Amino acid sequence: MKVLRSIGEWRRFRAALTGGLGFVPTLGGLHAGHAALIQRAAADNDLAVVSLFLNPTQFNDPRDLASYPASLEDDLAYAEAQGAHAVLAPDREAIYVDGFRFKVEESPLSRELCGAHRPGHFSGVLTVVLKLLNLVKPDRAYFGEKDYQQLELIRGMAQAFFIDSEIVACPTVRDADGLALSSRNARLDAAGRALAPRLREALACPGPDGQVADALSRLGFDVDYVATRFGRRLAAASIGKGEGRVRLIDNIPLAMRPEATHHDSGP
Ligand code: PAF
């Protein structure tokens, strides 16, 4: 597996590549959810490329950035074991050569749901994804459905800016008890880890979104939202306090809810 640390090195490497390229952008902190994306990229394409870039502009909370569990050495070994052919791992100055003067701004979706609770988050995500797609020039780029609002925004951006890469959505990977895999799960203490799968369970409960939010609050979650959008029920909620606080997001298709009729709460 080739590891490229500078933009110049990457560009020379990319120019020499032939064949279909599948791309998995990541923040690092790789887990089995990323493994599924990398394996899919390797199966669908001649080459699978992974980026490891802990993107500071999408972290509205500096403590969240500082505590993000990513280790370059571990991530490189993990990416290679999943079949990655190359890893792009640039530093912050190389990606933000403009000092983040130029940004992708979207509205209204990026200000709703997670965006309402994480100001600037989606501008950071869309900006870095556009930079990475322009550098990597993949035939296909793979994103998990766990971050469903992110996926919708990236699809919209790709369409709006005539990006040639196909945006491929991949199903959420879960632990045996239903908890959606996330790098942040590593920060849950024993009590938080025991509570966390109840988020997924609550999403599948009958009744309106408000009722589900109330039920989660009673269980001990600090709920940002429960909402029905994109033909899915989505939720974001935190467990714990202070330094130990961990924010979880999840969503399931409406078809997995027991009711017969559903109404989206937004466009
Ligand atoms: O979903 C993520 O891991 C990140 O938001 C992404 C898409 C790699 C952009 O930094």
Side-chain angles (χ1 to χ4, degrees), residues 25-27 55 58 125 128-129 143 147 150:
T26 81
L27 294 164
N55 176 34
Q58 70 186 78
V125 169
V128 83
V129 170
F143 296 88
D147 297 89
Q150 166 176 286

Side-chain angles (χ1 to χ4, degrees), residues 175-260:
D175 270 336
D177 59 8
L179 176 64
L181 296 191
S182 163
S183 309
R184 291 184 179 87
N185 293 354
R187 294 179 43 223
L188 289 166
D189 62 16
R193 180 62 191 79
L195 178 61
R198 307 297 292 273
L199 181 64
R200 159 69 184 74
E201 276 171 37
L203 286 174
C205 286
D209 294 336
Q211 201 171 300
V212 173
D214 290 346
L216 284 168
S217 300
R218 281 195 298 276
L219 285 169
F221 286 90
D222 184 3
V223 180
D224 282 353
Y225 64 84
V226 176
T228 300
R229 297 286 293 273
F230 324 118
R232 308 177 86 89
R233 181 180 262 169
L234 305 95
S238 300
I239 295 177
K241 300 242 175 303
E243 297 293 307
R245 187 176 167 88
V246 180
R247 187 173 185 273
L248 305 174
I249 58 172
D250 204 345
N251 70 87
I252 59 166
L254 292 184
M256 291 176 72
R257 279 164 54 187
E259 294 115 301

